[in-house]
C-alpha cells in the first residue's frame, strides 16, 4: 500500500562532533596505556622503551577527553552533577563513566610517576590496578551505546568489544608514529622487532575489527526494520564505506600485509596515520548513523 | 448493567473533572498510575492538542512536546488520511530514566509520570538518543532536555493535561490506570488497544485505539522505505527546520 507522510516531527541530533572526539580520545588513551603496561606489567621487554612515552600520551589525551565531553553539554557549568553521590544513577553507564573518568587520570598520573623514578615493582602493581580502569573507562562508552534499546545500530552486544579493539588499534597506530619520530630524533635506535610486533598486532586487530563489522551487517540485515534501515543507510554513507571501511581499514591492512610495503617505514607510517583517522571515523559513524535513523 | 450504561455515556462525551473525582474517591495516599488513551478513530487531525501543548508549556518555535503524525494511504477514490497523536509515552520502564547520569529525569512514585528536573539536567543528550519514541528534544531557551510530562503543573492541581482539555472530539482520555472506576481503565478493559513499540518492553502508559500500523512503526511507512530512509530529510515539515543537521 502506498503511503505518504503528510507531516511528522523529527527532533534534531543533540550531539556535536565533540562526542565522537571524546570516544576517540579515551580510546587512544586506553590503547596507549595498555601498550605501556605490556612491558611494566606483562613483562614483555621489547616494549620497554615505549612504556614512558605511551603512558604520557595516554595521560595527555585523558586531559582532552573530558574537555570534549564538557564542551558538548548544554549546561557545561553543571558537569559536576555527575559526581554528586546523591545524583548517582546505578542504571546509567554514564554515571559510572564519569567516576571512572575522574579516577583513571589520577591513577594514570601516579603510574607515570613511578615509571619516571624507575621503581619497577611499584609500577607493576600500579599498572595491574590501572589496566582494568583503562579497559573499563573505554568499555563503558561501548556499554553506553549497547544499552540503548531504541537504536538498532547501537543496541548490540558486540559494541563494547568493538570499541575496545578499536581503542587498542588506534593506540598502537599512534605509538607507531611516536616510535618513528623517536627513532628519527634520538641517538639510540629502537629495536626492529618492536616494529614487527606492533605491525602484527595492528594486522590482527584490523582483521578483528573487520570481523565485527561483518557481524554487524549480517545481523542487522536480518534484524528489525530499524536494523535493516541502519545498515542500509550506513552502506550508502560515503564517509562510512570509503572512509571508515576503505581508507581506515582495508587500505592499511593491505599496506601492512603486502610483501613490498610491509617492511618499509614510510608505508608503516602511512598505514598508522590512516588507522588513526579510520578509528575516528568509526566513532563518528557509530554515533551519527545511529542518530540518523528516524524513530518517530 | 448500570455500569455499562455509564460507560457508554462517558464514551460519547467525557465528563469534565472525572479525573479528580476518581482521585478523591480512594484517598490521597494511594499510588496512582496516570495514563492516556488516544482513540484514533475519533481523532480528526485538527492539531488542537499540539497547539494547546505548545501554549501551555511555552515550547519554543520549531520544537514540539507532542504532535500529530499524519499519513495518506491509497489513491483516489480509495484514499484515507490517518493520524497518530504522538507524545511522551510515560514508560513504566523508561529508557530515558535508565540512561540519565544525574537522575534529572525520573519516574515519579506517586503517579508514574516521567518528569524532568530541569535544574539538575546537565544537557548531555543521552536521554534524547535513548528515547525510542523521539519524544525528547533540547529546549534552546532552557538549555536542558525537555519533553511532555502530562502537564505536570496542571495534574498536580487536579486538572487534566492541556491537550486533553483542548481535544474537540473526545479522542483523548486521561486518568488513573490502577483505579478500576476511572474512565480510562474501564475503556481499556472493554476495547482492544495497542501501545507503540511494545516489543521494547518499555511498558508505555499511552494507549491507542485503532491506530494505523504504518504510523506506529518507525520507518516503514511505505513499501519504498529504503528510498525513504535515504531521503528522510525531505519529510521535515517546516521549511525553516534547518536544525535537522548534525550538531546544533
Amino acid at each position: 500500500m502506498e503511503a505518504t507522510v503528510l507531516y511528522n516531527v523529527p527532533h534534531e541530533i543533540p550531539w556535536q562532533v565533540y562526542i565522537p572526539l571524546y570516544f576517540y580520545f579515551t580510546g587512544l588513551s586506553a590503547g596507549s596505556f595498555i601498550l605501556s603496561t605490556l612491558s611494566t606489567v606483562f613483562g614483555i621487554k621489547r616494549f620497554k622503551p615505549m612504556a614512558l612515552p605511551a603512558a604520557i600520551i595516554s595521560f595527555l589525551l585523558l586531559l582532552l577527553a573530558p574537555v570534549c565531553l564538557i564542551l558538548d553539554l548544554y549546561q557545561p557549568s553543571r558537569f559536576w552533577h555527575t559526581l554528586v553521590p546523591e545524583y548517582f544513577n546505578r542504571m546509567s553507564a554514564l554515571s559510572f563513566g564519569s567516576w571512572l573518568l575522574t579516577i583513571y587520570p589520577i591513577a594514570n598520573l601516579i603510574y607515570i610517576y613511578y615509571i619516571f623514578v624507575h621503581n619497577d615493582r611499584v609500577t607493576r602493581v600500579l599498572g595491574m590496578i590501572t589496566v582494568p580502569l583503562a579497559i573499563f573507562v573505554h568499555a563503558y562508552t561501548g556499554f553506553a551505546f549497547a544499552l540503548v534499546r531504541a537504536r538498532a545500530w547501537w543496541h548490540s552486544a558486540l559494541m563494547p568489544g568493538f570499541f575496545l579493539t578499536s581503542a587498542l588499534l588506534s593506540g598502537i597506530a599512534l605509538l607507531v608514529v611516536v616510535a618513528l619520530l623517536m627513532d628519527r630524533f634520538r641517538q639510540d635506535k629502537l629495536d626492529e622487532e618492536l616494529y614487527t610486533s606492533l605491525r602484527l598486532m595492528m594486522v590482527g586487530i584490523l582483521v578483528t575489527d573487520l570481523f565485527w563489522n561483518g557481524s554487524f551487517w549480517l545481523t542487522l540485515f536480518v534484524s528489525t526494520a530499524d536494523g535493516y534501515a541502519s545498515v542500509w543507510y550506513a552502506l550508502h554513507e560515503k564517509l562510512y564505506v570509503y572512509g571508515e571501511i576503505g581508507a581506515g581499514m582495508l587500505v592499511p591492512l593491505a599496506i601492512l600485509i603486502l610483501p613490498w610495503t610491509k617492511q618499509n617505514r614510510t608505508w608503516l607510517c602511512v598505514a598508522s596515520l590512516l588507522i588513526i583517522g579510520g578509528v575516528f571515523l568509526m566513532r563518528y559513524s557509530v554515533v551519527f548513523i545511529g542518530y540518523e535513523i528516524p524513530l518517530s | 448493567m448500570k455500569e455499562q450504561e455509564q460507560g457508554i455515556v462517558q464514551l460519547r462525551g467525557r465528563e469534565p473533572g472525572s479525573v479528580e473525582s476518581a482521585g478523591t474517591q480512594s484517598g490521597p495516599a494511594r499510588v496512582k498510575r496516570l495514563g492516556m488513551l488516544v482513540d484514533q478513530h475519533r481523532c480528526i487531525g485538527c492539531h488542537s492538542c499540539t497547539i494547546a501543548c505548545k501554549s501551555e508549556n511555552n515550547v519554543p518555535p520549531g520544537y514540539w512536546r507532542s504532535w500529530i503524525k499524519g499519513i495518506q494511504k491509497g489513491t483516489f477514490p480509495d484514499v484515507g488520511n490517518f493520524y497518530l497523536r504522538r507524545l511522551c509515552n510515560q514508560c513504566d520502564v523508561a529508557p530515558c530514566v535508565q540512561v540519565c547520569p544525574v537522575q534529572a529525569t525520573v519516574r515519579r512514585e506517586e503517579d508514574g509520570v516521567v518528569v524532568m528536573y530541569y535544574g539538575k539536567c546537565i544537557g548531555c543528550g543521552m536521554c534524547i538518543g535513548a528515547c525510542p519514541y523521539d519524544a525528547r528534544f533540547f529546549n534552546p531557551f532552557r538549555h536542558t532536555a525537555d519533553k511532555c510530562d502530562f502537564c505536570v503543573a496542571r495534574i498536580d492541581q487536579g486538572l487534566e493535561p492541556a491537550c486533553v482539555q483542548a481535544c474537540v472530539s473526545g479522542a483523548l482520555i486521561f486518568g488513573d490506570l490502577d483505579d478500576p472506576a476511572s474512565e480510562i481503565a474501564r475503556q481499556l478493559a472493554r476495547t482492544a488497544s495497542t501501545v507503540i513499540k511494545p516489543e521494547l518492553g518499555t511498558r508505555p502508559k499511552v494507549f491507542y485505539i485503532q491506530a494505523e500500523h504504518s504510523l506506529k512503526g518507525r520507518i516503514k511507512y511505505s513499501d519504498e522505505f529504503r528510498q525513504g530512509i535515504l531521503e528522510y530529510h525531505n519529510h521535515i515539515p517546516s521549511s525553516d527546520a534547518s536544525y535537522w543537521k548534525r550538531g546544533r
Side-chain angles (χ1 to χ4, degrees):
Chain A
M1 176 67 73
E2 202 54 42
T4 319
V5 176
L6 300 174
Y7 31 76
N8 191 16
V9 172
H11 285 131
E12 69 184 312
I13 297 172
W15 290 347
Q16 286 175 297
V17 73
Y18 295 119
I19 294 289
L21 260 183
Y22 157 71
F23 295 138
Y24 181 58
F25 286 145
T26 46
L28 274 174
S29 165
S32 320
F33 187 82
I34 289 167
L35 266 195
S36 156
T37 56
L38 281 183
S39 62
T40 57
V41 178
F42 300 102
I44 307 174
K45 287 280 165 285
R46 198 182 305 147
F47 295 100
K48 183 86 182 167
M50 300 308 298
L52 186 61
I56 290 172
I57 288 170
S58 157
F59 179 73
L60 291 179
L61 288 165
L62 268 185
L63 295 180
L64 282 174
V67 172
C68 286
L69 262 193
I70 291 169
L71 275 176
D72 195 75
L73 295 183
Y74 259 63
Q75 293 279 0
S77 57
R78 292 186 192 162
F79 75 93
W80 54 272
H81 284 198
T82 52
L83 300 174
V84 178
E86 198 188 328
Y87 294 173
F88 189 84
N89 182 358
R90 66 194 157 74
M91 303 275 285
S92 166
L94 266 63
S95 265
F96 288 98
S98 37
W99 278 101
L100 284 169
L101 209 55
T102 315
I103 298 165
Y104 170 53
I106 298 168
N108 197 324
L109 195 60
I110 300 170
Y111 169 83
I112 290 173
Y113 173 76
Y114 279 100
I115 301 184
F116 199 70
V117 297
H118 296 289
N119 190 335
D120 283 355
R121 210 172 50 81
V122 179
T123 309
R124 188 177 147 79
V125 174
L126 282 172
M128 276 154 85
I129 299 167
T130 319
V131 163
L133 273 179
I135 290 173
F136 279 122
V137 90
H138 196 63
Y140 105 81
T141 58
F143 280 113
F145 285 123
L147 297 181
V148 172
R149 61 184 113 177
R151 296 183 188 268
W153 187 246
W154 297 350
H155 186 53
S156 164
L158 295 181
M159 203 49 98
F162 188 26
F163 266 61
L164 275 178
T165 50
S166 306
L168 208 51
L169 180 65
S170 60
I172 297 170
L174 183 66
L175 279 201
V176 168
V177 177
V178 171
L180 288 168
L181 285 174
M182 276 165 66
D183 250 5
R184 199 175 174 84
F185 296 110
R186 277 197 343 172
Q187 292 298 323
D188 44 343
K189 295 297 172 197
L190 290 169
D191 194 358
E192 188 61 41
E193 257 186 54
L194 176 74
Y195 288 107
T196 314
S197 30
L198 286 175
R199 185 173 63 80
L200 288 177
M201 281 161 83
M202 284 201 285
V203 170
I205 299 173
L206 270 174
V207 172
T208 316
D209 267 9
L210 282 168
F211 175 75
W212 292 142
N213 269 294
S215 306
F216 274 120
W217 297 339
L218 280 176
T219 49
L220 287 173
F221 261 123
V222 291
S223 166
T224 56
D226 264 6
Y228 188 96
S230 312
V231 68
W232 182 261
Y233 185 88
L235 294 179
H236 282 77
E237 179 76 53
K238 289 191 182 64
L239 205 61
Y240 179 74
V241 178
Y242 299 116
E244 183 192 332
I245 306 294
M249 292 165 117
L250 293 177
V251 173
L253 186 63
I255 292 174
L256 293 177
I257 56 174
L258 287 178
W260 47 87
T261 49
K262 68 178 184 182
Q263 299 299 350
N264 188 314
R265 292 232 170 147
T266 318
W267 280 115
L268 184 65
C269 186
V270 170
S272 304
L273 290 173
L274 280 174
I275 287 174
I276 292 173
V279 172
F280 173 70
L281 289 180
M282 173 253 157
R283 314 297 194 209
Y284 191 84
S285 60
V286 164
V287 171
F288 287 114
I289 291 175
Y291 258 117
E292 290 201 2
I293 302 305
L295 295 180
S296 62
Chain B
M1 197 59 207
K2 193 163 179 277
E3 284 281 307
Q4 273 182 358
E5 274 173 20
Q6 245 180 10
I8 292 163
V9 169
Q10 286 189 353
L11 219 160
R12 299 242 168 90
R14 271 177 310 97
E15 284 176 345
S18 58
V19 180
E20 304 96 280
S21 59
T24 46
Q25 239 172 24
S26 10
R30 200 173 59 81
V31 174
K32 290 195 274 187
R33 256 179 90 233
L34 294 179
M36 191 179 284
L37 180 61
V38 185
D39 189 348
Q40 290 305 146
H41 200 51
R42 289 173 157 229
C43 175
I44 58 170
C46 70
H47 295 259
S48 296
C49 48
T50 312
I51 302 303
C53 172
K54 262 184 109 80
S55 70
E56 168 69 26
N57 296 303
N58 268 333
V59 185
Y63 297 84
W64 287 266
R65 277 187 176 202
S66 74
W67 66 95
I68 305 276
K69 182 179 176 184
I71 61 163
Q72 191 168 65
K73 283 208 304 183
T75 45
F76 184 81
D78 302 311
V79 64
N81 284 1
F82 298 92
Y83 307 102
L84 191 73
R85 201 280 160 119
R86 296 298 314 274
L87 70 165
C88 170
N89 280 245
Q90 311 289 350
C91 312
D92 268 347
V93 184
C96 53
V97 172
Q98 177 212 320
V99 299
C100 180
V102 293
Q103 295 190 29
T105 183
V106 293
R107 181 186 179 277
R108 285 210 304 194
E109 285 302 322
E110 67 262 35
D111 53 11
V113 177
V114 178
V115 294
M116 278 289 305
Y117 291 125
Y118 299 110
K120 265 189 192 175
C121 177
I122 59 171
C124 67
M126 197 66 216
C127 55
I128 297 172
C131 177
Y133 306 101
D134 201 11
R136 289 177 160 267
F137 58 94
F138 265 128
N139 187 317
F141 294 117
R142 201 178 257 144
H143 293 286
T144 63
D146 204 350
K147 75 173 193 73
C148 157
D149 49 13
F150 276 167
C151 293
V152 76
R154 284 176 65 94
I155 57 176
D156 282 352
Q157 302 288 320
L159 298 167
E160 290 175 318
C163 54
V164 179
Q165 206 165 48
C167 184
V168 295
S169 54
L172 303 178
I173 298 163
F174 179 76
D176 183 3
L177 298 167
D178 278 356
D179 178 8
S182 70
E183 192 191 351
I184 182 168
R186 289 163 52 185
Q187 284 258 18
L188 276 173
R190 282 196 307 253
T191 327
S193 63
T194 56
V195 293
I196 308 181
K197 301 183 186 176
E199 73 279 6
L200 293 178
T202 52
R203 288 161 62 195
K205 291 199 288 289
V206 174
F207 298 86
Y208 292 87
I209 295 175
Q210 294 228 347
E212 158 68 28
H213 80 280
S214 54
L215 280 159
K216 289 194 301 165
R218 25 211 116 189
I219 28 122
K220 198 171 180 196
Y221 38 73
S222 83
D223 294 341
E224 292 302 309
F225 87 105
R226 291 172 170 183
Q227 206 50 39
I229 280 298
L230 302 180
E231 295 171 356
Y232 186 72
H233 58 276
N234 294 337
H235 295 292
I236 292 175
S238 61
S239 56
D240 62 333
S242 59
Y243 56 81
W244 179 246
K245 297 273 186 280
R246 266 164 212 183
R248 46 187 185 249

